[in-house]
Amino acid sequence: MTLELARDNGMPTATNGTAALEQSPFAIRGLTVSYGEKPAVFSVDMTVEAGKMTAIIGPNGAGKSTLLKAALGVVPPVSGRVQVFGKPLDTQRARIAYVPQRASVDWDFPTRVIDVVIMGLYRELGLLGRITGRHKAAARDCLERVGMADFADRQIGQLSGGQQQRVFLARALAQGADLYLLDEPFAGVDAATEKAIIAVLKQLRAEGKTVVVVHHDLATVTDYFDNVFLINTRKVAEGPVSEAFTADTLQAAYGGRLATAQVDQLGVAPVMGGVY
Amino acid sequence: MLFDALLLQLGYNATLVAIGATLLGVSAGITGTFLFLRKRALVSDAVSHATLPGVGIAFLVMVALGGDGRNLAGLLLGSAISAGIGLWCLNWLTRNTRLAEDAAIGAVLSVFFGFGIVILTVIQTLGVGRQAGLEGFLLGSTAGMLWNDALVIAGGGAAALLLIVLMRRPMTMVAFDPEYAAARGISVSRIDMAMMGLVMAVTVVGLKIVGLILIVALLIIPAVTARFWTERSDLVVLLAGVAGGVAAYVGAALSASAPNLPTGPIIVLVSFALFALSLLFAPNRGVLAAVLRHIRFQRQVHLRQGLLAVAQEQLIYEPLTLRLLRRHGLLRADGVPTEKGRARAAKALRDEHRWALVRSDQSHEAAAAMYDGLRDIETVLTADQIREIDNLIGGPKEVSA
C-alpha cells in the first residue's frame, strides 16, 4: 500500500529531476541516518519548493527531526547528499537559519535573551569583532518581531517555554537567512506564541523566504502550510497540502496510530477505495 | 609573616611561586569555565591523571639519552603527550562504545594513573637520588622552583589565554547550543578538541605547582564560584579568572608564610573558601539568599491571602497569617480588620481584578509574565495603563465593612 501510494500520488514536484535539484532551496537525495544499526531515516529524497512553507509531518520516532539534523550535518548521516540553492551545503551555511528544539539546550545557561539573539550575528561579528550598539539594535529588532522586546535583558531561565521558543526564532531572524528550518517550534508552546511564530513565518514567506517546519499538529497543517512532506522512516508523500495531505497518505504514514475519526476531523480528502 | 608573603617580601622563591601560581590560577579559572559551561568538567580529571605515565617515561628517556632526567620542559612534553593519548582514548571510548562519558572517564583516569605509579616505582628502584622528586608531580612541589619553571608556566598560561580570546565565541555557542552551532557550520568536534587542548596545556603547566591530582580543582572551582554571582557567560569567564588568580596568589602566599605548608593543597583550600562564601552569600543563587527569599515569599503569600480573605469576609485560621496581619496593623487583636486593613484588602482585591485583565490581554504579555499573585501592579504598569484597565473594570467595587 505504501509503495503504491508513493507511485500513484502524482506529485507535481519532480522529485528526482536534476532541474528541481538545481532550483530547490533545500534538496535532499538518498539520505539515510541511523542510530546504531537501526535506520531512523532511510533513503529519503526531499525537494523543498522555494518561497513556500513546508511541513514535515509523521508519527513520533518517524525521523522528522533526524531528517533535518542529518541534512544540516548536526548528526552524521550514513549516506546521502544535500544541496542548498543548488550548491553544496557548506558553501551556503550563511543562507540557512536553523531553529533547534527548545529542549535541546540547558536554559539555566548563564546568558541573557539579547545575548542569545546576538549569537545569530555570529558570522557578522567574526571571532574578534566587538558587539556594538548597531548589533544590539539589530537583535532588539528581531526580538520585536517575535514580541519579546521587553524581555531583552532577562536571564533565559526566567522565560516560559513559548518565550524560549520565540527567542530561538529571533536568533534565527538575526541571521537574515533565506532558508528557515525549524524543529518542532509549536511543541508545548502557548497559543500566543503559536500565533506570534506563525505570523513571523508567514511574513518571511511574503518576503520570498523558504520555510520548513517539523510539525506534529495535524489539525493546523492545512491552515499553516503550503506543502507537506510525510515521513515514516521512508518518505511517504510530498507535495501541496491539497494533494499530499490526504486520508490515504496519512494512513500510510501513521498506520493504525491515527484513528479514523481524527482523519475525518482534519477535513482532508477521503480514503480512496472505501477502506473504512 | 602572611602580610609579608602577600606583599611578596619572602624572598626569591616565594615570589616566583606566587607569580607563577597567580598566572596559572587565572588561566585555569578561565579555561575551566568553558569546560564547566560545556558540562564536561570531569574530563579534566581524566586528562590530568593521564599525564603521569608521560612524566615517568619522559624521565626514563632523558636519562637513557644521557641528559638530566629532571628537565622540566622535557617532563612536561612527556606529560602532554600522554595526556593527549588519554584524551584520545576517552573520546574513542565515548564515541565507539556504549560506555557513557563518566564511565569512560573513570576507566581512563584509573588505568593511566595506575600505569604512571608503576613507572614511578620502577624509577625509584633504578637508582636512588637520580629520580629526585617525580612524586612532586602528584601534589605539586614548589620548593625548588626555578626562574625557567616560572617562564614555562607564564608562557603556557599566556598561550592558553590568547587562544581563549580567539575562540570564546564559538566555544560559548557550542557550550550553549551545540546543535545550532553545528548547523551554522561550526565544527563542534574541533571546538571540543581545542577546549581539551586548552585543558591539557593548563594541566601540564600546573603540574609543578599544584600537581595532577588537584589541578581539577583549579579548573572547576573558580567557574562554579563565579557562576553564583552572574547570569552572563562572559562575566562568569572573567570572574572565574579573578577568583582563580586570587585563590592561587593568596594560597601561594599562605603556604610561604609558614614552613611545611604545601602550596597546591593550600591554593585549593583558599579556592574552596571563595566557593563556600559564594555558595552562602551570593545575592541571587546563594543559599542564604534562597532561604531569605523563601521566608519573604511565604510571608507575602500569607499576607496577601489574609488581605483577600478580609476583603471577601472569610474567616482566617492560619496563625501565621493572623500574626502577620496584626503585626502590620491590619487586624485588631479581636480579629476585626482595622481601617487600614480594610483599605489594603480592598486594594488587594481590586489588584486581582486588574491582574486578571492584564493576563487575558496579549498586549500586556511582558507584564503578565511578572504575575505571581503577589506583585503590586504599580511596579509593573504605569499609572496611565492602570487607569485604562480600571476603565475597563468599571468603578471601584464596594467593599463592605
Side-chain angles (χ1 to χ4, degrees):
Chain A
M1 167 115 189
T2 313
L3 288 174
E4 272 176 23
L5 267 170
R7 229 183 313 128
D8 294 348
N9 245 339
M11 284 165 270
T13 40
T15 45
N16 288 308
T18 0
L21 193 67
E22 293 303 322
Q23 286 157 14
S24 169
F26 193 54
I28 299 171
R29 289 293 174 272
L31 190 74
T32 298
V33 198
S34 147
Y35 298 116
E37 302 287 297
K38 187 177 176 295
V41 169
F42 189 82
S43 191
V44 166
D45 292 350
M46 181 183 189
T47 311
V48 172
E49 202 180 340
K52 293 282 163 73
M53 276 171 67
T54 302
I56 300 177
I57 53 180
N60 286 333
K64 305 185 292 282
S65 301
T66 305
L67 175 71
L68 266 198
K69 283 188 203 169
L72 287 172
V74 174
V75 297
V78 176
S79 70
R81 72 199 169 102
V82 176
Q83 290 215 334
V84 176
F85 297 103
K87 301 196 182 76
L89 169 71
D90 276 324
T91 64
Q92 302 296 307
R93 293 262 183 204
R95 299 178 70 183
I96 308 171
Y98 171 61
V99 180
Q101 278 180 25
R102 186 160 53 81
S104 65
V105 310
D106 167 21
W107 290 92
D108 193 41
F109 195 90
T111 188
R112 294 169 306 171
V113 166
I114 187 133
D115 301 323
V116 174
V117 182
I118 287 174
M119 282 182 197
L121 301 168
Y122 171 69
R123 206 167 284 264
E124 203 175 310
L125 283 165
L127 289 180
L128 292 171
R130 244 169 51 82
I131 295 169
T132 64
R134 187 170 57 85
H135 296 115
K136 284 185 190 152
R140 273 176 208 280
D141 279 349
C142 295
L143 282 171
E144 188 79 54
R145 286 174 72 183
V146 298
M148 289 289 291
D150 294 342
F151 294 82
D153 296 319
R154 298 262 183 100
Q155 205 275 324
I156 55 168
Q158 298 172 6
L159 305 180
S160 73
Q163 291 164 344
Q164 293 172 349
Q165 191 66 60
R166 278 185 277 165
V167 171
F168 264 15
L169 180 58
R171 176 178 67 179
L173 291 176
Q175 287 177 238
D178 298 313
L179 170 64
Y180 292 80
L181 306 169
L182 298 86
D183 195 350
E184 297 268 16
F186 303 116
V189 305
D190 52 291
T193 296
E194 181 152 344
K195 245 166 51 188
I197 293 178
I198 201 71
V200 170
L201 296 184
K202 285 186 168 162
Q203 189 191 334
L204 287 172
R205 179 181 55 186
E207 292 164 13
K209 319 277 192 189
T210 306
V211 179
V212 179
V213 178
V214 172
H215 194 57
H216 68 283
D217 181 11
L218 296 178
T220 49
V221 169
T222 326
D223 283 347
Y224 292 170
F225 297 98
D226 308 306
N227 294 336
V228 286
F229 182 89
L230 266 85
I231 180 172
N232 191 355
T233 307
R234 291 155 195 267
K235 174 165 114 181
V236 176
E238 179 179 33
V241 170
S242 58
E243 293 167 31
F245 188 67
T246 65
D248 265 349
T249 57
L250 283 171
Q251 201 64 40
Y254 285 80
R257 271 170 285 199
L258 204 62
T260 323
Q262 285 174 285
V263 177
D264 287 346
Q265 278 172 6
L266 296 174
V268 298
V271 175
M272 284 169 283
V275 172
Y276 299 117
Chain B
M1 192 72 168
L2 172 61
F3 197 61
D4 287 341
L6 285 173
L7 293 175
L8 301 177
Q9 300 294 311
L10 282 183
Y12 183 68
N13 177 262
T15 306
L16 215 53
V17 171
I19 292 174
T22 308
L23 287 170
L24 174 69
V26 172
S27 41
I30 288 179
T31 306
T33 304
F34 288 98
L35 209 57
F36 163 69
L37 292 176
R38 184 83 174 98
K39 302 199 182 352
R40 297 187 71 191
L42 273 184
V43 174
S44 62
D45 214 17
V47 170
S48 62
H49 282 78
T51 56
L52 194 58
V55 172
I57 292 172
F59 179 85
L60 288 175
V61 169
M62 286 191 288
V63 170
L65 293 177
D68 177 10
R70 284 165 302 177
N71 180 297
L72 184 65
L75 293 176
L76 293 190
L77 181 68
S79 71
I81 292 172
S82 106
I85 296 173
L87 199 55
W88 184 85
C89 290
L90 179 61
N91 282 339
W92 188 88
L93 282 173
T94 10
R95 209 171 327 120
N96 298 309
T97 69
R98 285 172 168 273
L99 277 188
E101 190 169 55
D102 58 344
I105 288 172
V108 168
L109 183 154
S110 49
V111 169
F112 273 76
F113 189 64
F115 182 46
I117 294 290
V118 170
I119 296 178
L120 289 205
T121 316
V122 169
I123 291 172
Q124 233 158 6
T125 59
L126 284 181
V128 191
R130 277 174 73 196
Q131 58 105 7
L134 283 193
E135 302 93 337
F137 283 92
L138 292 179
L139 291 167
S141 77
T142 50
M145 204 163 115
L146 305 171
W147 175 243
N148 277 341
D149 301 349
L151 276 187
V152 169
I153 294 169
L161 288 184
L162 191 71
L163 194 59
I164 285 172
V165 168
L166 273 173
M167 305 280 294
R168 65 187 199 283
R169 272 194 192 126
M171 285 200 300
T172 309
M173 272 171 81
V174 166
F176 173 58
D177 192 346
E179 288 185 5
Y180 177 75
R184 297 217 61 175
I186 296 171
S187 167
V188 174
S189 60
R190 250 181 244 167
I191 294 292
D192 276 340
M193 216 144 74
M195 222 183 268
M196 291 308 142
L198 283 168
V199 169
M200 240 172 66
V202 168
T203 305
V204 163
V205 158
L207 285 180
K208 183 79 184 166
I209 294 183
V210 290
L212 64 92
I213 294 178
L214 290 177
I215 189 78
V216 63
L218 259 67
L219 285 161
I220 301 312
I221 298 180
V224 288
T225 303
R227 181 67 183 91
F228 278 109
W229 298 92
T230 174
E231 298 289 350
R232 292 178 51 180
S233 58
D234 48 350
L235 293 183
V236 177
V237 173
L238 272 182
L239 286 178
V242 172
V246 167
Y249 182 76
V250 173
L254 268 176
S255 77
S257 68
N260 299 324
L261 282 181
T263 311
I266 297 285
I267 291 176
V268 172
L269 288 181
V270 174
S271 193
F272 170 75
L274 292 180
F275 165 78
L277 287 176
S278 307
L279 172 78
L280 289 175
F281 300 115
N284 276 312
R285 301 175 76 92
V287 171
L288 199 64
V291 170
L292 288 177
R293 211 163 37 229
H294 182 74
I295 293 176
R296 204 180 318 130
F297 173 74
Q298 197 178 23
R299 298 190 160 199
Q300 280 178 334
V301 168
H302 276 272
L303 207 54
R304 189 81 179 181
Q305 281 178 339
L307 284 172
L308 288 173
V310 167
Q312 291 159 335
E313 295 177 31
Q314 291 159 347
L315 280 177
I316 299 166
Y317 299 103
E318 287 259 7
L320 178 58
T321 311
L322 289 169
R323 207 161 60 235
L324 286 168
L325 286 172
R326 288 199 184 108
R327 192 188 304 163
H328 284 83
L330 304 172
L331 211 61
R332 294 199 322 232
D334 59 4
V336 176
T338 62
E339 199 57 41
K340 184 175 155 201
R342 261 199 293 275
R344 284 276 300 274
K347 158 106 173 53
L349 192 60
R350 185 158 184 79
D351 272 2
E352 280 299 302
H353 292 308
R354 287 164 168 167
W355 272 116
L357 206 78
V358 167
R359 294 174 72 200
S360 64
D361 185 349
Q362 182 53 37
S363 65
H364 284 308
E365 192 194 352
M370 312 276 282
Y371 176 79
D372 50 12
L374 300 172
R375 194 182 286 271
D376 286 322
I377 200 158
E378 295 85 5
T379 62
V380 178
L381 296 179
T382 64
D384 284 346
Q385 284 175 310
I386 294 176
R387 213 168 299 130
E388 223 169 275
I389 289 168
D390 285 350
N391 285 338
L392 290 169
I393 298 176
K397 293 217 167 53
E398 277 298 316
V399 181
S400 48

